[in-house]
Amino acid sequence: MAWSLPALLLLLCSLGVSQALLRVYNLRADGLNADPTTPADCYVKLFYDSKGMGMTSFKVDTNSPWWDDEFAYPGAEQGSILRVEAWDKDLIYDDKLGSCQFLLRLGTWIAKCHLAEGGTLYFNYTLS
């Protein structure tokens, strides 16, 4: 099948515009309210649309953790949903501290998520 040059250029341009690289980094939390008697053993799970992007390492005994973890998702699209969930690691059953969803926009952004169980989760994301 032969392609005309204008049709091929249109196809290539449309592929480049619709898909982008999503990077999530600089994750941190403040004022987590996990167990009433002990500080949180917190980690974060990330999802692009309903697909898992991964989870952070565990931060033990702190209600204000910082993570060095960085996540990338090639093929992301503007207008898609990024969901973040904060969890407290426990021996038998992990407690969900809260979650938020963000409608992705091109550029670099600082996101802030107020968690249902108390505390705030912050992170940066870049969609380029």
Side-chain angles (χ1 to χ4, degrees):
M1 177 170 139
W3 286 85
S4 69
L5 184 57
L8 184 59
L9 289 174
L10 182 63
L11 175 66
L12 292 174
C13 288
S14 68
L15 289 175
V17 170
S18 66
Q19 295 189 341
L21 174 65
L22 170 63
R23 285 183 52 238
V24 180
Y25 55 98
N26 200 22
L27 289 109
R28 59 205 181 281
D30 188 40
L32 296 179
N33 194 14
D35 299 321
T37 57
T38 61
D41 299 325
C42 193
Y43 64 97
V44 175
K45 294 180 182 179
L46 296 107
F47 301 86
Y48 170 78
D49 279 343
S50 55
K51 301 172 211 98
M53 287 180 64
M55 70 181 220
T56 64
S57 55
F58 299 99
K59 296 297 179 178
V60 180
D61 290 336
T62 179
N63 290 332
S64 298
W66 284 73
W67 291 273
D68 294 329
D69 305 274
E70 185 171 315
F71 302 88
Y73 190 91
E77 295 182 10
Q78 180 171 264
S80 296
I81 301 293
L82 173 65
R83 186 174 83 239
V84 294
E85 299 176 351
W87 291 82
D88 177 34
K89 180 78 175 156
D90 286 327
L91 189 58
I92 297 174
Y93 179 76
D94 294 354
D95 301 312
K96 188 174 180 180
L97 302 177
S99 66
C100 291
Q101 296 188 118
F102 297 87
L103 188 64
L104 295 173
R105 299 179 289 167
L106 288 173
T108 298
W109 303 93
I110 298 173
K112 182 178 182 180
C113 174
H114 295 286
L115 302 172
E117 297 298 319
T120 306
L121 179 66
Y122 305 89
F123 62 91
N124 295 49
Y125 82 82
T126 298
L127 184 65
S128 59

